[in-house]
Amino acid sequence: MCGIVGYIGRKEAYPILIKGLQRLEYRGYDSAGLALISEQSQLNVYKAKGKVADLEAYCSEKDISGYVGIAHTRWATHGEPSSVNAHPHFSASGRLALIHNGIIENYQTLKDKLSKRGIAFRSATDTEVLVQLIEYIMISNNLELLEAVQVALHQVIGAYAIAILDRNHPDTIICARQSSPLVVGLGSDGSFYLASDASPIAEYTDQVVYLNDGDIAVLQEGETLHVVNIDNVTQHPKVKQIDVTLGQLEKGGYPYFMLKEIFEQPGCLRDCMRGRINADRDKITLSAVIDFREKLVSARRIIIVGCGTSWHAGLIGKQLFESLCRIPVEVEYASEFRYREPVIFPDDVVIAISQSGETADTLAAIELARKSGAFVFGICNAIGASIPRQTSTGVYIHVGPEIGVASTKAFTGQVTVLSMLALTLANERHTISEEMYKEMVVELTQIPDKMEQALKTNEQIERLAPIFTYAKNCLYLGRGYNYPVALEGALKLKEISYIHAEGYPAAEMKHGPIALIDSEMPVFVIATRDKLYEKVISNIQEVRARGGRVTALVTEGDERITQIADHVIELPDTLECFQPLMVSIPLQLLAYHIAVCKGKDVDRPRNLAKSVTVE
Ligand code: M6R
C-alpha cells in the first residue's frame, strides 16, 4: 500500500531510489515518482503514471544528479492514478517535496481551511494537504521545518509514513510515522537509507531502526540519527540487525516471484520448524509458549483475527485448536471484529495472523483486544513489523520475504505454526495422548518432503491450465480441514486471473450454489482420503449429474475418483489435519498457470497491493 524510499549520503541517489522502488513495487504500482536535490541545489521532481519502469523511462533524459532523494510507488486511495496525483507533492512555493503512505482522514477539513487562506491545490490526493499545511505553518510562524512538521502532525488525523525534502536545507531528510511502517538504514559511511520495509535497504546495510508510532527522524549525512516525537521529546531508537539475504529478494531464475515462492515452500517449512522441533522429532518447543505458558494453556477461548489468506489460515487453526486442544475458537475478519463491539474476556487469547505484520485492520483488532485485557499472540512473517511489536508475544513463521502479491508460502507457514502451537497446547493440556502427539510431530516434519512430491504436479497442472482460461466462474469444494483451503484456492484464482471463483463446503452446495452448475463451470473438488471421503464422492456425483466438469485433488493411488472425475491430481497422503499443507500446492499452481495462460501480470495483479496499511 504505497512504498517509500529515501537516501542521503555520498553516492548518487537516483539508482538507489529506482532499485528501492523496484523492490517495493509489490506495495503499489499505479504510479511512481521521485524528488532529488541536484548538485546545484535544485529540487527536481519527476512522476509518471504506471510502473517503476515507466518512471525510469520518463527520467531517462532528465537531470538525475544528486546525493539526496526520496521516491514513492503508489496504490491510489484518494485521486485516480495519474502523474498529477503521483507523489512527491510540492508545497505552494515549490520549496518542499513530500511522499506519503497512509490516509489523512481529516484532509478535507484541512484542505478547506488552507484553501480559504489562498492555497491552491494541484492534485486530488489527501497527501497534498500535508505538504501545504507544513509549509503554511512554517512560513506563517517563521518556524524551522522540523518544528513545522511537529505542529502540522498535531493537526493531522490518520495514518502516515512521510518523508520530506526542503530545497533550502539540501542536507536533510525529515521523516515521520504513525500507523504506517518506516525503516531507517544506517550506512557504515554515515549515509542513511529510508524505506517502507527493509528490502530496499538490505543490500547496503544490515543495521536498521524501525521507527515507532509518533517518531520523527532527522537524517543528515555523517550525523547520528536524531529521533524526536511530535512534542519534541528525544527518542532513543534501538538499532536492529536485519537478516534478509539478497537471494530472497530476487526471482532466482523464475519468471515470477509467485512461482518461486510456491517452489520455496518445502525449504520454508523446514526453516519454520528448525530449532522448534528437536532432532528426535518428538518435541516441539516454542519459546513464546514457555514464556507465557499459563496464559496460553489456561485460555478460556481463542479468538483468531486476520484478513484474506491469513484469515483462511485462521479457519484451519480453529479446527486444530478445537479438535486437538478442546479450546473453543472463533475466527474473525479483523475488519469486522474491530467495529463489532465483540465480547472479549480477560482470559481470552487473541491470535492475530498476518504475513506483513502491517495490515491496518489487524492492527486495530489487536488494539481493541489489548484494551479489553485479552492476551494477544501474533503470528507474523515480516521481522520487526508493527504486529510483532504490538502483541504480547508470538511466533515468526520464518518463511523469508514474500514478494508475490498472492500469498503462498506465508499461508503454509502460518498453518505450520498453528499446527505446532496446537500440538504444544494439546500436549500441555493432555488433550491428546503422548503417543498421538509424537506421531503427529513426526508427520509434521515429513511434510516438506511430501510437499516436494506435490510440487511434481506442476507439469500436469501447466498442461491442464489452458482448459480453464475460458471460465467465467469456478467453484472450489472441500470439507473439514480442506474447506478453508477451498476458500484459499478460490481467492488465489480471483486475485491473479480475475476469474470469479467461490469456495464452498462441499455439502452446502445443494443449498444453493448447485444451481450454478452446468458444463461451462469448472469445479475443483478436494477429495483426499479422510473421514469425509465417501461424502465428498457423493458431492462429486451431484456435480457430475448436472453436467459439471470435475477436477479432483486426490490421495495418490485413488482409483474410485479417477473413474468419475474429468481430471485428477494425485497428492501424497498425510494426516487429515495436515492435508491443507499438501492440497494448497496444486491449487496455488492452478491459479498461477491459469493466470499466466491468460497473460496476466501474476506478481502485480490489478487493483491490489501486498500490504494493506489502510482501512
Ligand atoms: O499481510 P497480511 O497477512 O495481514 O495480509 C492479509 C491480506 O491482505 C492478504 O492475505 C491478501 O488477501 C493476499 N493478497 C492474499 O493472497
Side-chain angles (χ1 to χ4, degrees):
M1 206 110 302
C2 299
I4 283 180
V5 192
Y7 173 74
I8 182 163
R10 292 183 193 171
K11 293 183 261 196
E12 286 286 339
Y14 177 80
I16 296 170
L17 298 179
I18 288 291
K19 205 161 185 193
L21 287 183
Q22 285 161 345
R23 296 241 188 265
L24 289 183
E25 205 169 15
Y26 69 90
R27 298 178 70 91
Y29 32 83
D30 61 44
S31 53
L34 56 86
L36 289 161
I37 297 191
S38 74
E39 285 168 49
Q40 294 74 37
S41 290
Q42 292 265 355
L43 179 54
N44 292 321
V45 171
Y46 307 121
K47 314 200 269 190
K49 186 178 168 189
K51 305 209 163 113
V52 176
D54 298 299
L55 175 66
E56 251 189 300
Y58 180 73
C59 290
S60 60
E61 289 179 9
K62 307 279 185 214
D63 175 6
I64 50 163
S65 67
Y67 304 98
V68 184
I70 55 176
H72 186 267
T73 178
R74 182 169 184 247
W75 185 88
T77 57
H78 296 63
E80 57 166 14
S82 67
S83 61
V84 174
N85 289 334
H87 304 204
H89 290 284
F90 269 131
S91 59
S93 74
R95 176 179 155 181
L96 306 180
L98 177 145
I99 54 178
H100 167 224
N101 169 27
I103 289 184
I104 305 305
E105 288 170 16
N106 62 337
Y107 85 98
Q108 196 58 54
T109 316
L110 295 170
K111 189 172 180 176
D112 291 347
K113 272 194 206 160
L114 291 166
S115 300
K116 277 191 198 130
R117 285 164 192 160
I119 292 174
F121 282 78
R122 305 177 185 97
S123 76
T125 65
D126 55 329
T127 298
E128 193 185 346
V129 83
L130 279 175
V131 70
Q132 303 293 14
L133 180 67
I134 292 166
E135 184 174 79
Y136 178 79
I137 291 169
M138 190 164 69
I139 292 171
S140 51
N141 298 291
N142 198 20
L143 296 178
E144 290 297 321
L145 177 60
L146 175 61
E147 297 167 311
V149 169
Q150 288 167 325
V151 174
L153 294 182
H154 267 292
Q155 299 180 27
V156 165
I157 301 170
Y160 53 78
I162 55 172
I164 313 161
L165 284 187
D166 178 353
R167 194 180 52 204
N168 294 3
H169 293 282
D171 60 345
T172 307
I173 298 176
I174 289 189
C175 54
R177 90 155 255 177
Q178 179 65 45
S179 305
S180 289
L182 209 49
V183 188
V184 178
L186 314 176
S188 55
D189 57 354
S191 57
F192 290 102
Y193 301 84
L194 180 68
S196 298
D197 68 38
S199 59
I201 298 175
E203 58 200 281
Y204 308 107
T205 176
D206 61 358
Q207 300 293 297
V208 294
V209 166
Y210 294 95
L211 293 184
N212 289 313
D213 278 349
D215 283 354
I216 303 174
V218 181
L219 314 184
Q220 288 180 319
E221 195 242 319
E223 301 291 325
T224 45
L225 178 67
H226 179 50
V227 183
V228 290
N229 67 11
I230 53 174
D231 297 317
N232 207 32
V233 178
T234 301
Q235 307 295 298
H236 302 284
K238 286 201 183 100
V239 178
K240 299 246 161 101
Q241 187 158 357
I242 42 169
D243 60 357
V244 177
T245 64
L246 278 187
Q248 290 173 319
L249 303 172
E250 310 280 352
K251 286 189 205 144
Y254 287 91
Y256 287 99
F257 279 109
M258 183 182 177
L259 191 62
K260 176 185 178 226
E261 287 160 6
I262 292 173
F263 273 88
E264 276 175 352
Q265 288 175 104
C268 291
L269 296 203
R270 286 186 191 107
D271 290 344
C272 178
M273 290 185 262
R274 185 164 297 124
R276 292 167 170 169
I277 298 185
N278 64 352
D280 291 340
R281 301 192 298 168
D282 60 2
K283 180 89 189 128
I284 299 172
T285 308
L286 296 173
S287 47
V289 178
I290 296 174
D291 297 345
F292 297 93
R293 184 186 175 282
E294 210 35 52
K295 280 268 174 213
L296 293 162
V297 172
S298 60
R300 162 175 169 163
R301 177 178 64 157
I302 293 174
I303 302 172
I304 301 179
V305 293
C307 301
T309 290
S310 298
W311 183 77
H312 294 155
L315 293 176
I316 295 168
K318 174 182 169 73
Q319 299 190 45
L320 287 163
F321 290 120
E322 290 190 339
S323 85
L324 299 177
C325 315
R326 309 308 296 154
I327 303 174
V329 182
E330 287 170 27
V331 187
E332 302 261 5
Y333 283 119
S335 54
E336 289 295 308
F337 181 77
R338 62 182 290 192
Y339 289 118
R340 210 172 44 72
E341 298 183 40
V343 178
I344 308 170
F345 301 108
D347 48 1
D348 281 341
V349 169
V350 173
I351 300 182
I353 307 180
S354 173
Q355 186 286 128
S356 63
E358 299 292 351
T359 300
D361 286 320
T362 310
L363 277 163
I366 290 171
E367 184 60 18
L368 178 66
R370 277 174 37 173
K371 283 194 179 138
S372 310
F375 183 77
V376 187
F377 188 100
I379 295 179
C380 185
N381 188 34
I383 313 284
S386 300
I387 287 177
R389 290 188 291 146
Q390 289 181 24
T391 42
S392 317
T393 186
V395 175
Y396 280 115
I397 61 174
H398 285 313
V399 298
E402 188 182 69
I403 294 166
V405 168
S407 191
T408 52
K409 62 179 182 174
F411 177 69
T412 48
Q414 290 163 347
V415 173
T416 303
V417 164
L418 287 163
S419 303
M420 289 194 286
L421 185 58
L423 281 167
T424 306
L425 297 187
N427 191 36
E428 295 279 347
R429 288 166 62 92
H430 307 293
T431 44
I432 56 172
S433 66
E434 192 65 22
E435 205 184 349
M436 184 173 167
Y437 170 77
K438 286 183 181 164
E439 186 197 328
M440 292 182 76
V441 175
V442 169
E443 182 58 23
L444 190 57
T445 62
Q446 284 169 357
I447 293 293
D449 292 349
K450 293 188 178 185
M451 264 186 166
E452 267 161 15
Q453 286 296 113
L455 283 164
K456 293 193 176 139
T457 59
N458 183 46
E459 281 174 21
Q460 180 197 4
I461 292 170
E462 190 173 5
R463 281 196 305 275
L464 282 177
I467 305 172
F468 304 114
T469 51
Y470 73 89
K472 297 255 180 303
N473 301 287
C474 289
L475 203 54
Y476 285 70
L477 303 177
R479 299 191 70 166
Y481 281 101
N482 284 326
Y483 161 53
V485 191
L487 293 175
E488 175 61 7
L491 176 63
K492 291 291 87 99
L493 190 72
K494 279 186 271 206
E495 62 182 337
I496 60 170
S497 75
Y498 319 142
I499 295 174
H500 172 249
E502 295 262 9
Y504 239 81
E508 277 294 302
M509 196 186 44
K510 52 188 160 303
H511 300 287
I514 202 163
L516 293 168
I517 289 175
D518 61 17
S519 60
E520 304 279 284
M521 168 79 100
V523 183
F524 300 105
V525 186
I526 306 170
T528 46
R529 212 172 285 120
D530 55 31
K531 66 172 180 281
L532 292 168
Y533 176 72
E534 292 296 336
K535 311 259 178 218
V536 175
I537 290 189
S538 305
N539 299 138
I540 293 176
Q541 296 289 16
E542 290 157 12
V543 174
R544 296 281 299 157
R546 284 149 188 92
R549 309 259 299 277
V550 173
T551 301
L553 309 185
V554 301
T555 307
E556 59 195 352
D558 189 309
E559 284 171 6
R560 288 178 61 193
I561 296 179
T562 314
Q563 311 287 324
I564 53 174
D566 295 279
H567 311 283
V568 292
I569 297 167
E570 294 193 32
L571 297 166
D573 197 10
T574 183
L575 295 175
E576 193 170 330
C577 63
F578 301 144
Q579 276 173 1
L581 295 168
M582 216 46 58
V583 174
S584 298
I585 301 277
L587 292 184
Q588 294 165 352
L589 288 168
L590 257 171
Y592 171 81
H593 286 297
I594 294 171
V596 169
C597 279
K598 294 190 77 175
K600 305 299 179 202
D601 185 345
V602 169
D603 286 337
R604 289 175 293 198
R606 72 182 178 206
N607 304 339
L608 291 177
K610 180 76 182 160
S611 180
V612 184
T613 53
V614 295
E615 276 195 57

